[in-house]
Amino acid sequence: MFDVYTVDTTTLLVFPLIIAALVAILPLSKEGLGMVALAAQVLPFYWLLHDIIPDFPTDGSFAYETNKAWLPDLGVRFHVGMDGLSLVMVCLTVLVTTCAIGYAVWE
């Protein structure tokens, strides 16, 4: 699931949560934790620029879609994907998060 060369919407949701948990339990100084967070934020930024934007479909369909049975006995499924508006929101989120972490490390 967390292959650097395979990105889907679930990876973009779960990866920051894993890094946040890692930063919360690491016994580092404030500057060290900031550098770990900034280094970890570079990977979603890379995914966005290298994998997601160039391969995004222009026909209005969903991209990077995950559709898996979550609770099959109840008929509940985990279904996420990105359309054009979601892509803009993901781009803004990744950019603002990277800038915010970078500014917090710099200050």
Side-chain angles (χ1 to χ4, degrees), residues 43-63:
L43 191 57
F45 197 73
Y46 168 78
W47 284 334
L48 185 69
L49 294 178
H50 186 265
D51 295 334
I52 294 176
I53 293 175
D55 296 333
F56 204 79
T58 57
D59 61 355
S61 63
F62 282 98

Side-chain angles (χ1 to χ4, degrees), residues 22-73:
L22 182 67
V23 166
I25 62 172
L26 281 177
L28 295 174
S29 66
K30 184 177 179 181
E31 292 81 18
L33 292 174
M35 291 306 291
V36 169
L38 185 60
Q41 185 59 28
V42 170
L43 191 57
F45 197 73
Y46 168 78
W47 284 334
L48 185 69
L49 294 178
H50 186 265
D51 295 334
I52 294 176
I53 293 175
D55 296 333
F56 204 79
T58 57
D59 61 355
S61 63
F62 282 98
Y64 305 103
E65 195 169 8
T66 301
N67 188 1
K68 298 190 183 226
W70 187 19
L71 301 170
D73 296 339

Side-chain angles (χ1 to χ4, degrees), residues 1-102:
M1 181 174 157
F2 292 108
D3 182 13
V4 174
Y5 303 107
T6 305
V7 179
D8 62 356
T9 309
T10 305
T11 306
L12 290 173
L13 288 171
V14 174
F15 183 74
L17 297 174
I18 291 172
I19 297 302
L22 182 67
V23 166
I25 62 172
L26 281 177
L28 295 174
S29 66
K30 184 177 179 181
E31 292 81 18
L33 292 174
M35 291 306 291
V36 169
L38 185 60
Q41 185 59 28
V42 170
L43 191 57
F45 197 73
Y46 168 78
W47 284 334
L48 185 69
L49 294 178
H50 186 265
D51 295 334
I52 294 176
I53 293 175
D55 296 333
F56 204 79
T58 57
D59 61 355
S61 63
F62 282 98
Y64 305 103
E65 195 169 8
T66 301
N67 188 1
K68 298 190 183 226
W70 187 19
L71 301 170
D73 296 339
L74 299 175
V76 178
R77 302 190 63 79
F78 178 72
H79 188 187
V80 293
M82 273 194 275
D83 61 354
L85 182 60
S86 299
L87 176 65
V88 172
M89 293 298 123
V90 168
C91 289
L92 286 172
T93 301
V94 168
L95 180 65
V96 168
T97 303
T98 304
C99 291
I101 293 172

